[in-house]
Amino acid sequence: MGFIRSICVGSLSVVSAVVLVPDGRGLASAAEVVHVYSHRHYGVDEQLNTLFTGKTGIEVKVVNAEADQLIERLQAEGESSPADVLITVDAGRMQRARKEGLLQPVMSEVLTRGTPAELQDADGYWYAYAIRARVLLVAADRVKAGEIRDYEDLARPEWRGRVLVRSSSSSYNQALMASMVSALGEKRALAWARGLAANLARPPQGGDRDQIKACAAGLADVCLANTYYYGLLLHSADPAERAAAGKMRLIFPNQGGRGTHVNVSAAGVTRHARNVANARAYLEFLVSPEAQKLLANGGQEFPALMDLTLNPTQEKWGAFKVDTATFRQMGEDQPKAVRLIDAAGWK
Ligand SMILES: [Fe+2]
């Protein structure tokens, strides 16, 4: 089973009239604060936080680091942790944070209404507020329609020397590998990773955007990247980046089967949060239409509010089937995925 991230009614240009105020406390004073530990690294976050502070008077204090480091920090700090909110860009990391007792459940209709239940924690320990798909991008002039359709194809011998992907140390690739383990089993997932590593046009280097640009420049014919990086290149202020993205075509993999692997930007309230009401207001703000519009138009992530229209760029990409079956397993399969990636020689 899966759901289709499709184009629905409503409009991203609609500005929310919702006023976010912590429960029962009236407008927050200047001293109000929410401490956020975040793995996100996007320009749009500053705009989001400024908007939130403007609406609520609650100051957002952010600590940025990789999710694994933030989880370790929460463990080490225990009850004395200043964090109120944990944000990662990987459901697997949120599943792990929950399992290790670092989060507390938050029950809120605002957070569940209109967002896909398949991509949420069933018990309210964390909430997805934006969606990204890990897709194939092919050189439009060299790869014919139908020539490549699935993640599995990346390991086929005809793609020898024609594939680019960033390092396997990226949580994006670890999550994809976890979904391959879940879908194919360990043995076939290992064979897939070996085949992929053997097909690379160069040893992994740079981020997703670098793979897209290198493909556009002719170094390879296909690469893996998150949808928003492609969207950000299409809308780049740099004409060379826009031209590079213009040479590529997006393919949502595995549409004839389990669907495309997606991940989420997700937030949860920490177990020892001191500002629970502010944390909850922050989470609710992230799924407000206004914040969702910023995430989509400024950051090119898919909104989690399913009744919002996609922006024109995302609309052009079209509706796609999401792999929800492996999504639930990501946290469980991630350690296996890392081990298998190493065994496969994917650097
Ligand atoms: Fe990213």
Side-chain angles (χ1 to χ4, degrees):
M1 287 296 289
F3 71 91
I4 309 278
R5 184 50 176 106
S6 60
I7 300 148
C8 311
V9 293
S11 169
L12 279 177
S13 62
V14 170
V15 172
S16 167
V18 175
V19 178
L20 294 136
V21 177
D23 295 343
R25 289 201 287 170
L27 275 171
S29 73
E32 291 291 345
V33 67
V34 61
H35 291 271
V36 178
Y37 280 10
S38 176
H39 185 183
R40 282 174 58 93
H41 52 93
Y42 310 118
V44 71
D45 289 12
E46 225 166 279
Q47 286 172 264
L48 282 169
N49 292 342
T50 303
L51 186 62
F52 175 73
T53 303
K55 280 180 168 295
T56 62
I58 301 167
E59 193 188 344
V60 186
K61 296 209 164 165
V62 184
V63 170
N64 281 115
E66 295 207 352
D68 290 342
Q69 294 171 313
L70 294 173
I71 286 173
E72 269 171 42
R73 188 159 163 176
L74 285 171
Q75 283 167 327
E77 289 170 342
E79 279 178 41
S80 61
S81 176
D84 300 306
V85 172
L86 173 68
I87 289 178
T88 77
V89 284
D90 176 25
R93 270 20 181 238
M94 294 311 279
Q95 288 164 357
R96 209 177 96 213
R98 177 192 168 169
K99 205 171 156 192
E100 296 186 12
L102 300 173
L103 301 174
Q104 61 172 292
V106 174
M107 289 307 151
S108 161
E109 214 210 307
V110 176
L111 293 169
T112 49
R113 191 182 52 209
T115 61
E118 297 93 330
L119 305 184
Q120 303 290 10
D121 179 62
D123 302 311
Y125 282 82
W126 53 264
Y127 290 91
Y129 64 92
I131 303 167
R132 60 272 298 285
R134 197 139 181 84
V135 296
L136 299 172
L137 288 156
V138 297
D141 62 341
R142 298 191 295 280
V143 180
K144 289 193 273 300
E147 211 178 319
I148 186 162
R149 293 177 196 277
D150 299 332
Y151 298 112
E152 285 82 344
D153 294 331
L154 290 170
R156 292 160 70 98
E158 58 265 38
W159 292 94
R160 186 64 41 99
R162 299 170 68 193
V163 179
L164 285 180
V165 66
R166 75 195 292 174
S167 164
S168 65
S169 65
S170 156
S171 68
Y172 306 146
N173 286 332
Q174 292 173 5
L176 173 63
M177 184 62 177
S179 86
M180 299 301 285
V181 171
S182 179
L184 307 177
E186 288 191 39
K187 213 173 136 191
R188 283 171 63 207
L190 173 62
W192 174 76
R194 277 204 178 112
L196 169 67
N199 283 350
L200 295 182
R202 68 173 179 195
Q205 55 182 270
D208 282 2
R209 272 179 281 217
D210 298 308
Q211 317 310 315
I212 299 170
K213 287 191 230 174
C215 270
L219 197 72
D221 295 331
V222 60
C223 66
L224 274 167
N226 287 351
T227 37
Y228 59 88
Y229 284 123
Y230 179 49
L232 289 171
L233 286 182
L234 286 169
H235 290 274
S236 173
D238 176 353
E241 289 195 330
R242 289 201 303 275
K247 291 181 180 168
M248 305 299 287
R249 188 173 73 242
L250 185 154
I251 296 170
F252 288 108
N254 297 69
Q255 290 300 290
R258 65 182 179 272
T260 295
H261 166 72
V262 302
N263 217 328
V264 292
S265 290
V269 178
T270 58
R271 170 86 170 275
H272 301 295
R274 283 166 214 175
N275 304 292
V276 174
N278 293 354
R280 180 197 173 100
Y282 188 67
L283 264 58
E284 291 181 344
F285 161 77
L286 291 173
V287 294
S288 68
E290 203 173 357
Q292 291 282 295
K293 178 188 152 195
L294 254 180
L295 284 156
N297 293 339
Q300 292 296 332
E301 282 180 275
F302 295 113
L305 267 189
M306 301 306 277
D307 62 351
L308 284 184
T309 309
L310 300 175
N311 71 33
T313 300
Q314 296 170 346
E315 202 170 321
K316 215 186 280 173
W317 298 342
F320 65 100
K321 182 181 176 186
V322 172
D323 174 8
T324 52
T326 67
F327 187 85
R328 295 255 166 235
Q329 278 287 111
M330 260 197 282
E332 289 285 307
D333 287 333
Q334 201 244 341
K336 270 184 248 169
V338 170
R339 210 182 61 233
L340 293 170
I341 273 173
D342 283 344
W346 175 2
K347 299 291 178 210

